[in-house]
Amino acid sequence: MSPQNHEQVVTQAVMNRYVNVEKTKRDVLTALQHYRGLGPKLDKFVFNDGSDQELLNLDGTIPVRYKGSTYNIPICIWLLDNHPLSSPMVYVKPTPDMLIKASRHVDQNGKVYLPYLHEWNPNSSDLPGLIQIMIMTFSEMPPVYSKPKTAQPPGATPYPLPYPTNSPGYMPMPGGGPNMPYSPAQTGANTVYPPYPTQPGGYPPSTTPYPVYPPASTAGYPPSQPPTSYPPPYSAGGITYPPYPSTTSSVPTGQATETSGVTGTSTTTSTGTITEEHIRASLISAVSDRVRAKLRDSYGGSQAEVSVLRQQQADLNQGKIKLEGLISKLEQEQTELDKNIRVLREKEGEIKNVLSRLSSATEPLNVDEAVTTTAPLYKQLLNAYAEDQATQDAIYYLGEALRRDVIDLDCFLKHVRSLSRKQYQLRATMIKCRAKGNMAG
């Protein structure tokens, strides 16, 4: 499917189904751009309570480097409708000729458990980072192995070889035989693998050539796969050779020596006893697995601390922005307040000067002469306004006198008619004065 078709499928799937349409679309298209073995699909997902919902999922394979060869591991990533607020659900989807190898990261149903999913952060976590972590985890502990087809013939080598021999396109189960292929990756000259992801900051690169043994069951992770049964001892020339040691021995189940893993042949002696090479490979593998587990735990704890610190940093930055805004607002208000105080003090000084001048005057103040105008037009307007207000008061008191029976109705109407005619003339004069002086109203 071309990138244009991918974008069309993703757009149709997230539209009217997902809360954060743009973020989900951008995250999915970025993952599809880096990992061409995945494709978008809209399918129905059934939850544990029996309810179902149509969700977008990325179905296909991711390239995993295991012991010098690249294999395509089938997976399916389901995105909830509030992505990226909730972490995705990841499953391993084995083909008919594969079986799931349960470990601390994958249960019997194929569901994937990773610290990256458990500590999912909507602001810093994304699908490309999740796929990178899965590739690194599966390169140390493969989630699937090939299904056994036929029983081992009596004359064949009694000990399985854990490493890939001359078939780089197949991934053997650690502890399974090399002749049990599954879904081989095409290794032709014209084959183009999806780009191998860069090494993320937290996980250390896996450089040891030794096989990764399934660790003991850890609380909180699914149990590991039951031990593999081995063929019974065989006889040659009347001599019975002992069987390969069981899973309770010092050598981990289903693992051969280091030399046999590299050359594809077994260095077990003809008596079938455990050599120093067996013990050496077992100890190195056990120590390397413990170191990897501690590094992963340390990385998980450090990542959680970093996430908390980043969240605190984001909160502090937001608080800093708010405080800077408040300080700027307070400074503006302080400037405005200082300006108002200065104006009020000036007005206060002017009032004091007027009061002192009035108090020092010897002659009494004439109220009629207290208000003067600068032009005859303004004086005419002022006198008309004063007479209009006085006429209004006279009409009011005539009404009060009529109400109290001080005057009769004929007297009231006579005086009101006269005052109203005068008030009309005064208001007409005010209108003309305002129009002459270009004043509003």
Side-chain angles (χ1 to χ4, degrees), residues 165-247:
T165 56
N166 295 328
S167 301
Y170 306 110
M171 173 173 286
M173 166 195 173
N179 297 323
M180 301 177 183
Y182 78 90
S183 293
Q186 300 298 328
T187 58
N190 298 326
T191 302
V192 179
Y193 285 103
Y196 193 73
T198 58
Q199 184 74 20
Y203 279 86
S206 177
T207 57
T208 175
Y210 299 105
V212 180
Y213 295 100
S217 178
T218 307
Y221 291 94
S224 58
Q225 187 185 7
T228 308
S229 59
Y230 295 93
Y234 64 92
S235 301
I239 302 174
T240 302
Y241 295 95
Y244 193 74
S246 64
T247 57

Side-chain angles (χ1 to χ4, degrees), residues 84-203:
L85 299 179
S86 297
S87 61
M89 298 177 293
V90 185
Y91 290 88
V92 176
K93 295 179 61 178
T95 58
D97 55 349
M98 301 182 197
L99 291 177
I100 294 177
K101 179 173 177 57
S103 64
R104 67 176 63 183
H105 299 301
V106 182
D107 62 12
Q108 294 287 355
N109 297 324
K111 187 171 184 179
V112 177
Y113 300 87
L114 292 172
Y116 192 84
L117 291 172
H118 181 68
E119 300 162 2
W120 182 270
N121 188 334
N123 298 322
S124 59
S125 303
D126 54 12
L127 293 178
L130 171 61
I131 299 175
Q132 288 179 359
I133 298 298
M134 291 171 58
I135 290 175
M136 296 191 61
T137 303
F138 292 165
S139 65
E140 298 177 358
M141 191 177 300
V144 292
Y145 64 95
S146 58
K147 184 184 299 183
K149 294 183 179 180
T150 57
Q152 197 173 23
T157 304
Y159 308 120
L161 302 177
Y163 297 156
T165 56
N166 295 328
S167 301
Y170 306 110
M171 173 173 286
M173 166 195 173
N179 297 323
M180 301 177 183
Y182 78 90
S183 293
Q186 300 298 328
T187 58
N190 298 326
T191 302
V192 179
Y193 285 103
Y196 193 73
T198 58
Q199 184 74 20
Y203 279 86

Side-chain angles (χ1 to χ4, degrees), residues 320-334:
K320 179 182 177 182
I321 294 173
K322 292 181 179 179
L323 289 176
E324 290 177 349
L326 291 175
I327 292 174
S328 177
K329 186 177 180 181
L330 287 175
E331 290 177 351
Q332 294 178 359
E333 292 179 354
Q334 181 69 29

Side-chain angles (χ1 to χ4, degrees), residues 251-298:
V251 182
T253 304
Q255 302 296 336
T257 64
E258 169 64 19
T259 306
S260 65
V262 176
T263 61
T265 59
S266 176
T267 58
T268 309
T269 60
S270 59
T271 59
T273 59
I274 301 175
T275 64
E276 293 182 358
E277 292 295 329
H278 287 86
I279 299 175
R280 179 175 176 272
S282 173
L283 291 176
I284 291 176
S285 300
V287 170
S288 63
D289 182 69
R290 286 178 179 269
V291 170
R292 289 192 190 95
K294 289 184 178 180
L295 286 176
R296 279 193 293 268
D297 294 340
S298 177

Side-chain angles (χ1 to χ4, degrees), residues 1-118:
M1 185 181 295
S2 64
Q4 292 79 8
N5 294 336
H6 282 170
E7 184 174 0
Q8 183 178 2
V9 172
V10 173
T11 302
Q12 294 177 354
V14 301
M15 195 63 63
N16 300 327
R17 291 187 179 91
Y18 282 77
V19 179
N20 302 303
V21 176
E22 292 300 327
K23 290 184 179 180
T24 303
K25 180 180 177 181
R26 182 169 58 251
D27 196 11
V28 171
L29 292 179
T30 302
L32 294 176
Q33 182 180 2
H34 287 83
Y35 300 95
R36 303 297 176 86
L38 297 174
K41 291 172 58 179
L42 182 63
D43 206 347
K44 184 178 294 184
F45 183 85
V46 180
F47 294 91
N48 294 333
D49 58 358
S51 61
D52 54 58
Q53 185 179 5
E54 284 191 344
L55 298 176
L56 176 64
N57 66 85
L58 303 183
D59 186 72
T61 60
I62 56 175
V64 175
R65 191 79 175 172
Y66 182 72
K67 300 190 187 306
S69 301
T70 302
Y71 306 94
N72 292 328
I73 302 299
I75 64 167
C76 184
I77 304 176
W78 292 87
L79 307 180
L80 294 177
D81 56 359
N82 60 345
H83 183 83
L85 299 179
S86 297
S87 61
M89 298 177 293
V90 185
Y91 290 88
V92 176
K93 295 179 61 178
T95 58
D97 55 349
M98 301 182 197
L99 291 177
I100 294 177
K101 179 173 177 57
S103 64
R104 67 176 63 183
H105 299 301
V106 182
D107 62 12
Q108 294 287 355
N109 297 324
K111 187 171 184 179
V112 177
Y113 300 87
L114 292 172
Y116 192 84
L117 291 172
H118 181 68

